[in-house]
């Protein structure tokens, strides 16, 4: 197997879970804002167990 | 006698340094992509032992201290003549008997000379080992520097097994303390999840298996049964912990590997909190529920290439 390890290294650092989740937050921005304004929690992804709520 | 001395010198100047390097710099040595051939081993050994040797030889000439300490010798001591007398005495018994006192005088001077040289040689060998370990343990940190990336980083990546960056947090900053989480689909259609503890490669550099800790198996039949009766439960409930601390999965039984490089949960929550606050402009708190925080980033197929794809769809129970 021949792999360009430099490219692989960059790809691994680029697509980390938190970066992907940040992109999802960006996509769901308006829904999150609406939920928070209404005082509700927002579950970013039920399966991934991330709950966003207003800071108390 | 000459052969005996030559063997001792070979051992002291090549074999012993290589032995120390292999033992003490083991994290670096393990990075190699495949077993070396005998010729490659010899060349690598000469290279490993040659760097401190060359450095000692050069510094002995340019530095007064290295040339005289820790075993002090006067300037005229251990000259070429001493080595000549020693060689002749070892080579010819007749010469040895005829020049007995000169031989032993030369012998002790040469011994001191070699002792001094070896002290510095081994000092620089340990410096070499320390540098190699620093680079190995801090690759993720150092590789953020463009100069390092284009020089040492490139050299290091050339000798690293392609599996190492995939199954260890090697390319990430050590401060982040990431762990490697994997979902493994096996040929018998089971889906396993766990933290990669170690991976094994054979002498050709091919992956032979993985050891997972905190392993779980996905119960797909339970999910299907619940769906049939309309019961909706979080998917986390279908992951059944596997007893025992380690699960070995042979690579030949593997269909796909889905790898994630997870931050510790508190670190992840903070990153996401900052992201939400930055994106929405609202002060928020973020909770990561359960031990398993997953976010698939790609799919490592049997060929070892990384591509975007969805996680496996129909695992068996």
């Amino acid at each position: 197997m021949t792999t360009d390890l430099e490219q692989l290294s960059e790809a691994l650092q680029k697509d980390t879970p938190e970066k992907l989740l940040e992109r999802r937050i960006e996509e769901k921005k308006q829904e999150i804002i609406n939920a928070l304004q209404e005082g509700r929690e927002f579950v970013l992804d039920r399966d991934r167990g991330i709950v966003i709520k207003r800071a108390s | 006698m000459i052969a005996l001395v030559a063997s001792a010198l070979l051992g002291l100047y090549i074999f012993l340094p290589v032995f120390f390097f292999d033992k003490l710099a083991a994290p670096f040595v393990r990075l190699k992509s495949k077993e070396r051939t005998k010729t490659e081993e010899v060349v690598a050994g000469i290279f490993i032992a040659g760097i401190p040797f060359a450095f000692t030889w050069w510094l002995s000439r340019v530095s007064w201290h290295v040339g005289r300490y820790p075993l002090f010798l006067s300037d005229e001591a251990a000259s070429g003549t001493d080595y000549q007398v020693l060689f002749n005495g070892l080579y010819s018994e007749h010469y040895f008997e005829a020049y007995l006192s000169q031989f032993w005088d030369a012998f002790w001077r040469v011994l001191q000379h070699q002792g001094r040289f070896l002290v510095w040689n081994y000092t620089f060998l340990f410096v070499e080992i320390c540098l190699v370990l620093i680079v190995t343990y801090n690759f993720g940190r150092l590789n953020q520097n463009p100069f390092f990336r284009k020089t040492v980083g490139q050299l290091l990546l050339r000798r690293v097994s392609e599996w190492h960056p995939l199954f260890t947090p090697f390319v990430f900053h050590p401060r982040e303390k990431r762990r490697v989480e994997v979902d493994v689909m096996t040929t018998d259609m089971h889906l396993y999840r766990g933290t990669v503890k170690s991976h094994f490669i054979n002498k050709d550099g091919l992956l032979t298996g993985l050891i997972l800790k905190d392993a779980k198996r996905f119960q797909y039949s339970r999910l299907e049964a619940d769906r049939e009766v309309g019961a909706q439960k979080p998917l986390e409930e279908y992951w059944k912990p596997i007893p025992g601390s380690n699960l070995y999965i042979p690579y030949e039984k593997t269909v796909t590997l889905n790898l994630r490089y997870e931050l510790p949960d508190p670190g992840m929550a903070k990153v996401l909190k900052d992201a939400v606050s930055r994106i929405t402009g609202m002060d928020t708190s973020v909770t990561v529920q359960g031990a398993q925080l997953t976010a698939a980033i790609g799919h490592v197929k049997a060929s070892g290439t990384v591509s975007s794809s969805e996680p496996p769809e129909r695992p068996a129970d």
Side-chain angles (χ1 to χ4, degrees), chain B residues 9 12-14 17 49-62 65-73 78 83 109-125:
Chain B
L9 289 175
L12 283 170
Y13 280 103
I14 295 185
I51 291 172
F53 181 90
F55 208 61
T56 306
W57 183 83
W58 176 70
L59 271 182
S60 297
R61 270 145 189 78
V62 299
H65 281 88
V66 176
R68 284 164 183 78
Y69 288 98
L71 298 170
F72 184 82
L73 292 171
Y83 281 93
R109 281 197 293 271
V110 166
L111 195 67
Q112 279 187 301
H113 188 245
Q114 287 295 309
R116 176 190 57 76
F117 195 92
L118 282 168
V119 166
W120 288 105
N121 191 53
Y122 279 86
T123 303
F124 292 128
L125 173 71

Side-chain angles (χ1 to χ4, degrees), chain A residues 15-22 24 44-45 47-48 50, chain B residues 181 183 193 258-262 268 272 292-298 311:
Chain A
D15 288 333
T16 54
E18 72 275 10
K19 284 181 183 162
L20 289 176
L21 285 167
E22 278 185 38
R24 289 179 57 82
L44 181 66
D45 186 320
D47 300 331
R48 288 165 194 173
I50 295 167
Chain B
E181 295 285 321
D183 291 345
R193 169 176 287 181
N258 190 4
L259 293 158
R260 305 176 298 282
Y261 305 88
E262 300 283 2
M268 175 66 101
L272 295 179
Q292 288 292 337
L293 172 65
T294 65
I297 64 154

Side-chain angles (χ1 to χ4, degrees), chain B residues 157-216:
Chain B
L157 280 179
R158 268 184 216 163
R159 74 178 300 284
V160 170
S161 159
E162 47 268 57
W163 298 112
H164 195 74
L166 284 170
F167 294 124
T168 69
F170 180 68
V171 300
F172 295 97
H173 199 299
R175 187 182 53 210
E176 294 177 347
K177 294 181 180 160
R178 287 179 191 267
R179 63 185 191 278
V180 183
E181 295 285 321
V182 63
D183 291 345
V184 183
M185 174 68 93
T186 56
T187 48
D188 53 2
M189 300 308 282
H190 282 104
L191 181 61
Y192 295 97
R193 169 176 287 181
T195 306
V196 178
K197 191 172 178 185
S198 49
H199 66 281
F200 304 97
I201 55 175
N202 64 15
K203 62 184 174 61
D204 298 319
L206 300 173
L207 185 70
T208 57
L210 287 175
I211 285 192
L212 308 185
K213 65 175 184 178
D214 303 326
K216 295 175 178 177

